[in-house]
Amino acid sequence: MDNTNSQILLLDDDPLACMLLERQLANLGYHAVSKFDSGKAALSSLDDPAGRPVLILLDLNMPEMDGIEFVRHLVERRYTGSLILISGEDERMRQAVEKLVRAHKINILGHLPKPVQPGDLAALLSAWSPAAPGRPRAAKKAYAADELRAAIANGELVNYYQPKVAVADGAVVGVETLVRWQHPADGMVFPDQFIDLAEASGLIDDLTRVVLSSALAQARRWQDAGIFLKIAVNVSMDNLATLDFADYVATQAAASGIAPQDLVLEVTESRLMKDARAPLEILTRLRLKRFRLSIDDFGTGHSSLAQLCDIPFDELKIDQSFSHRAWADQTLRTMFNASLDLAQRLKIETVAEGIEDRADWDFLRQTGCDTAQGYFIARPMPAADLPGWIEAWPARIAEEA
Ligand code: C2E
Ligand code: MG
Ligand code: MG
């Protein structure tokens, strides 16, 4: 898409920096550029609808209104364009601000150190496609507990499966079960739109039971067809408040003829538990029965050192926010390597989530991480697609190696 006529705003208190950026943009074919040396001046131009930019290149350190304050004003004005941060501050500072901008739901293309290298700017811009200015983002639909309850009862939840492969040789070692809601009117609804609701409305036990029993039945069918894979199911901390959960899992697995070693329970903690005794008891009992316990999204939320210390996990999943692009970013790489090191010292197997592209995979192969999961390997898929994918994968990975 050609964006070269799009309106771009430069804001930097240093006129020289502004001029250099303007020249770099011109060299890339962007000529509709307006320059400002103070936040105040830039904001008054934003208040004129005709002057609304679709991209802002923003300096962080400015004497009157700093870049962070400017972003707050953008939020108040419901700015719908994109943003690039430019700063002489170190990478961790720029990252922190990028996170903040993202939390404000402003589309941020990335951050660049000063002085800006033309190649870096070109790379960020090449990934940019401006939304029509002023178009509000579609809000995600919120569902009511009764709708979800009915969906569970009517069998509208379906399991998708995402492969996990060995980093060393690409061997397929397992799948993770990821639930979707096949909504009769809205189409496919993703778990970020209903798991919180299920937890808040007491439906998570019913949901997990449906997901677990169909995953076990599926694992049985695969085994009967000669496909032997570990199957992982996500378990909410709220499932671990009812003491019969361990027995329920054991009974279901036994009924499907799936060995405990082949069932992985991925545990995430999205909020703090009031009483840690029940989860601790249930997880320890499951481990005693030889089910495999995995700490999911490690390093985020409450999925942290304390949990790792208390519960005898077999597997640690390094969150995608640390593994994706770890090759490109010193801070991410440090977090990634520290998580890996921690797991290895505890003799826990490691899975890197979010291996999204070739560069992520190449990076991972240089680390000692055991297992990889992510779009580069495969997207989550319906059960019926898995045998075909397994057949095609060795050729693909040989080609990639
Ligand atoms: P999770 O357990 O960490 O699962 C991984 C999520 O990352 C999945 O999102 C998956 O589709 C996505 N993903 C996989 N590869 C990549 C990649 O390369 N890049 C990126 N950006 N994302 C990737 P999904 O299916 O939308 O699930 C989101 C979360 O919802 C899951 O995160 C899990 O916490 C929760 N969830 C899913 N199914 C269940 C369930 O049956 N029960 C419970 N309690 N939670 C579930
Ligand atoms: Mg998971
Ligand atoms: Mg995860």
Side-chain angles (χ1 to χ4, degrees), residues 207-347:
L207 183 145
T208 303
R209 285 169 191 232
V210 166
V211 170
L212 179 72
S213 65
S214 70
L216 286 168
Q218 186 57 55
R220 173 79 266 141
R221 284 193 288 275
W222 278 328
Q223 288 197 3
D224 292 344
I227 299 175
F228 292 88
L229 297 170
K230 286 195 164 53
I231 191 152
V233 171
N234 288 286
V235 169
S236 156
M237 267 289 168
D238 291 10
N239 293 133
L240 306 177
T242 21
L243 282 172
D244 64 359
F245 187 75
D247 295 318
Y248 176 79
V249 171
T251 310
Q252 290 290 310
S256 319
I258 298 301
Q261 295 87 327
D262 291 332
L263 180 64
V264 184
L265 302 166
E266 295 191 5
V267 184
T268 353
E269 193 175 14
S270 51
R271 47 195 155 117
L272 266 172
M273 294 301 291
K274 277 186 225 83
D275 183 352
R277 282 172 303 180
L280 192 58
E281 174 176 332
I282 294 165
L283 289 173
T284 312
R285 281 190 61 220
L286 283 165
R287 181 70 177 351
L288 207 57
K289 295 177 194 291
R290 299 290 177 261
F291 291 98
R292 289 177 60 84
L293 305 182
S294 170
I295 181 166
D296 205 350
D297 305 333
F298 184 72
T300 70
H302 305 288
S303 192
S304 62
L305 288 177
Q307 259 206 350
L308 192 58
C309 195
D310 291 344
I311 297 166
F313 286 106
D314 303 276
E315 176 184 281
L316 179 150
K317 295 189 82 174
I318 304 177
D319 191 67
Q320 58 195 40
S321 60
F322 302 120
S323 41
H324 175 50
R325 290 185 52 78
W327 55 272
D329 185 315
Q330 176 69 51
T331 310
L332 294 186
R333 200 154 58 239
T334 304
M335 303 291 176
F336 181 92
N337 287 329
S339 307
L340 192 62
D341 185 54
L342 189 62
Q344 286 169 340
R345 283 169 196 254
L346 292 169
K347 305 207 170 13

Side-chain angles (χ1 to χ4, degrees), residues 65-109:
M65 183 190 298
D66 63 49
I68 297 179
E69 201 185 340
F70 183 78
V71 166
R72 173 156 292 286
H73 287 288
L74 286 180
V75 174
E76 280 165 9
R77 283 170 172 73
R78 301 181 195 286
Y79 174 66
T80 52
S82 305
L83 191 82
I84 292 178
L85 285 176
I86 292 176
S87 174
E89 295 289 326
D90 67 17
E91 190 180 25
R92 291 193 51 206
M93 259 306 277
R94 296 197 307 274
Q95 251 162 22
V97 180
E98 176 171 336
K99 277 242 162 80
L100 181 66
V101 174
R102 207 156 265 148
H104 280 310
K105 308 243 183 300
I106 289 181
N107 178 36
I108 181 157
L109 303 181

Side-chain angles (χ1 to χ4, degrees), residues 162 176 178-180 191 234 296-297 320 353-354 356 374-375 380:
Q162 187 178 35
E176 174 175 5
L178 294 159
V179 68
R180 272 93 181 91
N234 288 286
D296 205 350
D297 305 333
Q320 58 195 40
E353 306 191 275
E356 220 171 278
Y375 297 163

